[in-house]
Amino acid sequence: MVTIKDVAKVTGVSPSTVSRVIADNPRISPATKKKVREAMEHLGYHTNIHARNLVAKSTKAIGVIMPSSADKALQNPFFPEVLRGIGSVIHERQYSLTLSSGETEQEILAEVQRMVYGSYVDGVILLYSRVDDPVMSFLQERDFPFVMVGKPFEKLQEITHVDNDNFTAGKQITNYLIASGHEKIAFIGGSKDLFVTRDRESGYQSALTDAGLPNNDAYKIHTEFLKSGGREAVERLLSLPVRPTAIVVTDDLMSLGVLSTLEESGVQVPRDISLVSFNNAYLSEITRPALTTVDIHIHELGAQSARALIERTVDKTVPSRRIIVPYNIIYRNSVSEQ
Amino acid sequence: MVTIKDVAKVTGVSPSTVSRVIADNPRISPATKKKVREAMEHLGYHTNIHARNLVAKSTKAIGVIMPSSADKALQNPFFPEVLRGIGSVIHERQYSLTLSSGETEQEILAEVQRMVYGSYVDGVILLYSRVDDPVMSFLQERDFPFVMVGKPFEKLQEITHVDNDNFTAGKQITNYLIASGHEKIAFIGGSKDLFVTRDRESGYQSALTDAGLPNNDAYKIHTEFLKSGGREAVERLLSLPVRPTAIVVTDDLMSLGVLSTLEESGVQVPRDISLVSFNNAYLSEITRPALTTVDIHIHELGAQSARALIERTVDKTVPSRRIIVPYNIIYRNSVSEQ
């Protein structure tokens, strides 16, 4: 049987390079890929992939884990969009995809344990990053291949993750509000347990501090990444003695709740309150006004995570890495000069 | 080992009723469920479910098959929403969910074959109904448990399916346009291969015929269930010598493309052209104007299909049935009197 080592020997590259070619790692040059693939074909390696999969009990399946039940999470267009990105790679590589449906941390852990112990999947993509996550600890202890969308709480060097630079994005979009003359800027984010919230909030905070603006705790609200979360948050902000003139909202679906609640309260956006958002889900261009938002390239986050995971399931020795997907701000009509 | 038959004997109901209680079939009365469950607990049946699953190699997993790649299908909010409904039941019953990612009919068939031959799932939900579908034929030939969201092309009595009455819905919403004074009414639908398109179009046609309105083939357009499909369709309608004054669009995402193309062409909705839509995806209330649309209760379609499938995987002898989820029209601001 032809092995990866045989292919490596013939082509003069290392076995891990051959693994990376199989996984279509973008860091391998096209020339090397061509050479290795030709050798694989020549040696008849292709047919043996299946044999190897059988021996190694590869399932050619991956698990995708959401932070809450499918019923809840899939309300937020982030998840279908990231699944689209994952799906594009899964499809190309002929893998299949198992989706979590658990609601609580314990249920999700039990699901992941079933996937791992039952050998239902080759690896797992975690679509969130939370403080003290037992799912992550379990996967690490078992040395089971996984990749995270977001930034791991600790062991940053050990865990392959795909993220945006959420700190800088939060800072840049807050600076844009400051440059537009706003001084009373509120922040609406998801749970403090989620890293994405922490990073975006740190960026917001840093922009205020750099501009010498005061820190007002009443202006910082943490709620659920849902439309209802946005509604609740805005009700609290509107009840304050001094209302903000601008709000940084860390999620487009939340922004939808913010917008409709402001409209019902007779507050006009952007005339009375300016709004900036995150994600650039497709709904952000349908709203009136259309939202100025940070495009985090959700589809790409999904695709990169699937590529990195497949690479890891093929070769466990591939070093961990951090993949930062660039963001950019899409300027629309939800901000006015103060 | 305690069997379903033992439970049936003790409680005086049939074995298939016991199966239905296990599957939480809504047609079984609460009193019967209580009685059967108490007997199950008393006899110690519960622990044996797992034993039985082991023997029967139950995977407690179901496959969910979309009509095109995840990358394409999940653009349409119908699919995340139907997955939410499926997910709610899956979660309750502690099943897992494997999602298709194939693009072409052949790829999807190959995926389903892998699921069936590899015993990866106990059953399959088809999220579409297409003419001459090889996937459906394959599942039927193998007598593999499956349920369809939509109406099967043939063998209507043999296949459990969850559908809306799309004919009547199409007729009723077209009648509403006719009652508002419209006579030149166009139709924009998905592929003619899809039953959902055929049924809605037949309803539209029937309303026109009943009202004695002429049949104009140029007013009927078939395209993709995507925003781009709506854009293309409207460009064709606007190029006609006599433009319609109203359009029936069979999908909210298409309607989004229709709306933006009309807006770019300087055509105002509903002043110049009225619009009615289907599905009541959440985007239909964000658009300006908000869409008058048929609420088909997507979440419920998903939940019912998952319940029916699990019932079938637990007991293959359960008779096939047709489950019709009621629709209702949500009247918003996209129609004007002619």
Side-chain angles (χ1 to χ4, degrees):
Chain A
M1 185 172 129
V2 182
T3 66
I4 286 184
K5 279 186 185 164
D6 299 326
V7 178
K9 210 168 168 187
V10 167
T11 48
V13 302
S14 70
S16 69
T17 300
V18 177
S19 296
R20 284 184 192 133
V21 173
I22 293 168
D24 203 18
N25 185 321
R27 290 184 306 166
I28 305 293
S29 74
T32 304
K33 282 183 182 168
K34 188 164 177 283
K35 183 173 68 173
V36 172
R37 282 175 183 151
E38 279 171 4
M40 277 162 51
E41 199 171 336
H42 183 69
L43 295 171
Y45 181 78
H46 177 68
T47 48
N48 286 324
I49 289 179
H50 302 293
R52 203 171 58 95
N53 281 346
L54 276 177
V55 172
K57 294 204 177 153
S58 166
T59 59
K60 289 207 90 180
I62 66 163
V64 176
I65 313 300
M66 299 188 288
S68 57
S69 68
D71 201 4
K72 186 182 273 185
L74 289 170
Q75 285 178 57
N76 194 320
F78 174 84
F79 292 100
E81 186 68 12
V82 82
L83 284 175
R84 287 184 59 216
I86 294 171
S88 69
V89 174
I90 293 294
H91 169 228
E92 196 182 297
R93 307 288 172 83
Q94 298 193 289
Y95 272 65
S96 69
L97 183 162
T98 295
L99 195 62
S100 71
S101 64
E103 168 66 40
T104 65
E105 207 170 62
Q106 281 314 306
E107 284 169 354
I108 295 169
L109 177 61
E111 271 187 286
V112 172
Q113 287 173 333
R114 278 199 299 274
M115 288 181 191
V116 172
Y117 293 136
S119 300
Y120 292 131
V121 298
D122 291 348
V124 161
I125 299 175
L126 295 183
L127 290 185
Y128 62 91
S129 171
R130 191 147 41 195
V131 178
D132 294 333
D133 181 23
V135 174
M136 197 188 88
S137 307
F138 170 75
L139 293 168
Q140 272 228 311
E141 280 160 23
R142 302 270 317 175
D143 195 24
F144 195 79
F146 77 102
V147 162
M148 176 174 271
V149 174
K151 192 172 83 179
F153 176 48
E154 44 184 11
K155 301 168 182 163
L156 204 59
Q157 304 304 319
E158 291 174 37
I159 294 169
T160 291
H161 57 284
V162 184
D163 200 8
N164 305 107
D165 183 350
N166 281 309
F167 172 83
T168 309
K171 185 161 185 168
Q172 191 180 336
I173 198 128
T174 308
N175 276 335
Y176 166 62
L177 290 173
I178 296 169
S180 303
H182 294 277
E183 298 189 343
K184 296 190 286 293
I185 303 173
F187 174 89
I188 301 176
S191 161
K192 274 185 184 171
D193 282 350
L194 294 171
F195 263 88
V196 59
T197 304
R198 292 188 176 201
D199 281 351
R200 291 174 183 174
E201 183 166 359
S202 300
Y204 151 86
Q205 196 64 65
S206 173
L208 295 189
T209 306
D210 286 3
L213 294 172
N215 190 351
N216 183 346
D217 280 342
Y219 279 177
K220 288 181 261 182
I221 298 189
H222 297 91
T223 174
E224 271 199 298
F225 277 131
L226 292 175
K227 194 176 169 188
S228 54
R231 301 189 70 95
E232 283 167 32
V234 112
E235 280 161 13
R236 280 165 60 189
L237 289 176
L238 290 182
S239 70
L240 293 175
V242 181
R243 287 180 180 181
T245 66
I247 314 176
V248 176
V249 186
T250 64
D251 178 277
D252 289 332
L253 184 60
M254 278 179 158
S255 290
L256 197 56
V258 169
L259 268 180
S260 64
T261 311
L262 288 174
E263 192 176 23
E264 286 159 27
S265 311
V267 178
Q268 271 192 38
V269 177
R271 197 196 62 188
D272 306 324
I273 291 187
S274 291
L275 210 64
V276 296
S277 185
F278 270 85
N279 291 5
N280 198 32
Y282 71 88
L283 64 88
S284 60
E285 58 173 326
I286 313 171
T287 55
R288 296 287 165 97
L291 296 170
T292 289
T293 190
V294 178
D295 187 350
I296 60 169
H297 301 283
I298 306 173
H299 190 281
E300 187 63 13
L301 288 168
Q304 291 283 357
S305 67
R307 273 193 211 106
L309 179 66
I310 291 177
E311 181 183 27
R312 223 173 161 67
T313 61
V314 171
D315 180 1
K316 275 201 181 183
T317 68
V318 170
S320 298
R321 51 196 178 108
R322 182 176 193 196
I323 300 163
I324 300 297
V325 172
Y327 71 86
N328 57 294
I329 299 180
I330 310 283
Y331 296 92
R332 295 198 185 99
N333 312 311
S334 59
V335 174
S336 69
E337 299 271 332
Q338 188 64 4
Chain B
M1 185 173 130
V2 182
T3 65
I4 285 183
K5 279 186 184 163
D6 298 327
V7 178
K9 209 168 168 185
V10 167
T11 48
V13 302
S14 69
S16 69
T17 299
V18 176
S19 296
R20 284 186 193 132
V21 173
I22 293 168
D24 203 18
N25 185 322
R27 287 185 308 166
I28 305 293
S29 73
T32 304
K33 282 183 182 168
K34 189 164 177 283
K35 183 173 68 175
V36 171
R37 282 174 183 151
E38 279 171 5
M40 277 162 53
E41 200 171 334
H42 183 69
L43 296 171
Y45 181 79
H46 178 68
T47 47
N48 287 324
I49 290 180
H50 301 294
R52 203 169 58 95
N53 281 347
L54 276 177
V55 172
K57 293 203 176 155
S58 167
T59 59
K60 289 207 91 180
I62 66 162
V64 176
I65 313 300
M66 299 188 289
S68 57
S69 68
D71 201 3
K72 185 181 275 186
L74 289 171
Q75 286 178 57
N76 194 320
F78 174 85
F79 292 101
E81 186 68 14
V82 81
L83 284 174
R84 287 185 58 217
I86 293 171
S88 68
V89 174
I90 293 294
H91 169 229
E92 196 183 297
R93 307 288 171 82
Q94 297 194 289
Y95 272 65
S96 70
L97 182 163
T98 294
L99 195 61
S100 70
S101 65
E103 168 66 40
T104 66
E105 205 170 63
Q106 281 313 307
E107 285 168 356
I108 294 169
L109 177 61
E111 270 188 287
V112 171
Q113 287 173 334
R114 279 199 298 275
M115 287 181 189
V116 172
Y117 293 137
S119 301
Y120 293 130
V121 298
D122 292 348
V124 161
I125 298 175
L126 295 184
L127 290 185
Y128 62 92
S129 170
R130 191 147 42 197
V131 179
D132 293 333
D133 181 25
V135 174
M136 196 188 90
S137 307
F138 169 77
L139 292 168
Q140 272 229 310
E141 280 160 23
R142 303 270 316 175
D143 194 24
F144 195 79
F146 77 101
V147 161
M148 175 174 273
V149 174
K151 191 172 84 180
F153 176 47
E154 45 184 12
K155 300 167 182 163
L156 204 60
Q157 303 304 318
E158 290 172 36
I159 294 168
T160 292
H161 57 284
V162 184
D163 200 9
N164 305 107
D165 182 350
N166 281 308
F167 172 84
T168 308
K171 184 160 184 170
Q172 190 180 337
I173 197 125
T174 308
N175 276 334
Y176 167 62
L177 291 173
I178 295 170
S180 303
H182 294 277
E183 297 189 343
K184 296 191 287 291
I185 303 172
F187 173 90
I188 301 176
S191 161
K192 275 186 184 170
D193 282 349
L194 294 172
F195 262 88
V196 58
T197 304
R198 291 188 176 201
D199 281 351
R200 290 173 185 175
E201 184 167 357
S202 299
Y204 151 86
Q205 196 64 64
S206 172
L208 295 189
T209 306
D210 286 3
L213 293 173
N215 189 351
N216 183 346
D217 280 343
Y219 279 177
K220 288 181 260 182
I221 299 190
H222 297 91
T223 175
E224 271 199 296
F225 277 130
L226 291 175
K227 194 176 169 188
S228 53
R231 300 189 70 94
E232 284 167 31
V234 113
E235 279 161 13
R236 282 165 59 190
L237 288 176
L238 291 182
S239 71
L240 293 175
V242 181
R243 288 181 179 179
T245 65
I247 314 178
V248 176
V249 187
T250 64
D251 178 275
D252 290 332
L253 184 60
M254 279 179 158
S255 290
L256 196 57
V258 168
L259 268 180
S260 64
T261 311
L262 288 174
E263 191 176 25
E264 285 159 27
S265 311
V267 177
Q268 272 192 38
V269 176
R271 196 196 62 188
D272 305 325
I273 290 188
S274 291
L275 211 63
V276 295
S277 186
F278 270 85
N279 291 5
N280 198 32
Y282 70 90
L283 64 88
S284 60
E285 58 173 328
I286 313 170
T287 55
R288 296 286 167 98
L291 295 171
T292 289
T293 191
V294 177
D295 187 349
I296 60 168
H297 302 283
I298 307 173
H299 191 282
E300 187 64 14
L301 288 169
Q304 291 282 358
S305 68
R307 272 192 213 109
L309 180 66
I310 291 177
E311 181 182 28
R312 222 172 163 66
T313 61
V314 171
D315 180 1
K316 275 200 182 184
T317 66
V318 170
S320 298
R321 51 198 179 107
R322 182 176 194 197
I323 300 163
I324 300 297
V325 172
Y327 70 88
N328 57 293
I329 299 179
I330 310 283
Y331 296 92
R332 295 198 184 97
N333 311 312
S334 60
V335 174
S336 69
E337 299 269 334
Q338 188 64 3

